[in-house]
Amino acid sequence: MPMSLTKKHLIETTYREFSSRRIDKFTLVELAQKATVSRSTIYNNFGGLEFVYKDLVEKIILEEITRDCRSYEEWIKNLVAYIYDNKLLCLNLYRQTMPFINQEHVHRRIMEDFSKILVQYNQEKMISKVALDAFILMLKKQFDNNLKTNRLEMTEALVKYGHFLFNV
């Protein structure tokens, strides 16, 4: 189902804002002002900021990263390239979503979605929750360190871990 123009506009506004400057706190009021819409428009289309972020990640970022991928290694290279090419956006998204990610139901949903992506590059072999948690923790550590690790080191570490993940 195609995304409504209003939803698209709100996601694009968030994308632009998060790509333009470091954001310590981004509120629904600020998004409404930047997008020149009412707060009720955001609530009616998303229900809250966490769902704007979710759609930004799922419908824009992950679609771009996964487009034309044929292997886990290719997906990791695309993921790391996207993160480093859009460092400010990704760091801002990380900072803004941490309160939501730490909620159990959100964490479970992220794990399910991420597992589907990884399984698709591994001939449908299931990945243990512990192994997936460790993979997510590796990414989280990079973000907590403000992505100071260079792109190549991060790519190599995630690819290597992926080989371990798929052979567990």
Side-chain angles (χ1 to χ4, degrees):
M1 184 165 131
M3 190 183 315
S4 77
L5 291 177
T6 303
K7 275 187 158 189
K8 187 175 181 184
H9 173 64
L10 291 166
I11 290 169
E12 288 172 350
T13 300
T14 304
Y15 186 99
R16 247 189 337 274
E17 286 301 307
F18 281 29
S19 297
S20 67
R21 62 188 166 83
R22 179 187 164 106
I23 297 175
D24 292 317
K25 184 169 174 71
F26 192 70
T27 65
L28 194 105
V29 171
E30 189 174 357
L31 175 57
Q33 289 172 343
K34 298 290 183 180
T36 61
V37 300
S38 67
R39 289 183 310 201
S40 63
T41 298
I42 298 169
Y43 281 121
N44 290 337
N45 281 276
F46 288 102
L49 276 176
E50 64 268 30
F51 298 106
V52 176
Y53 302 149
K54 177 185 170 292
D55 277 11
L56 172 56
V57 170
E58 289 179 359
K59 293 182 170 64
I60 307 296
I61 297 172
L62 286 179
E63 280 189 19
E64 184 172 327
I65 291 168
T66 58
R67 189 177 306 124
D68 300 325
C69 279
R70 290 175 206 71
S71 70
Y72 169 78
E73 289 83 3
E74 200 172 294
W75 184 80
I76 287 297
K77 287 175 185 170
N78 287 355
L79 172 68
V80 174
Y82 190 92
I83 289 170
Y84 280 88
D85 291 346
N86 299 279
K87 195 173 187 176
L88 191 55
L89 167 72
C90 293
L91 284 169
N92 280 327
L93 259 174
Y94 177 72
R95 286 186 204 104
Q96 299 305 307
T97 58
M98 279 314 295
F100 307 119
I101 289 172
N102 289 328
Q103 296 174 12
E104 180 58 33
H105 70 282
V106 176
H107 181 75
R108 188 172 44 253
R109 174 66 197 266
I110 290 168
M111 295 296 283
E112 289 167 5
D113 290 350
F114 203 59
S115 183
K116 287 178 196 169
I117 290 168
L118 292 177
V119 165
Q120 126 185 14
Y121 299 112
N122 193 39
Q123 295 77 41
E124 306 303 317
K125 181 179 175 185
M126 291 306 296
I127 300 167
S128 80
K129 182 189 178 317
V130 173
L132 194 53
D133 273 337
F135 185 87
I136 299 283
L137 193 60
M138 288 176 72
L139 281 174
K140 186 179 177 314
K141 183 179 174 188
Q142 297 299 322
F143 277 93
D144 287 344
N145 196 29
N146 285 315
L147 299 171
K148 290 182 180 163
T149 304
N150 77 48
R151 182 185 301 225
L152 183 59
E153 286 176 24
M154 185 175 176
T155 302
E156 287 174 354
L158 292 173
V159 166
K160 186 184 296 185
Y161 186 74
H163 292 294
F164 165 76
L165 221 156
F166 295 137
N167 291 316
V168 171

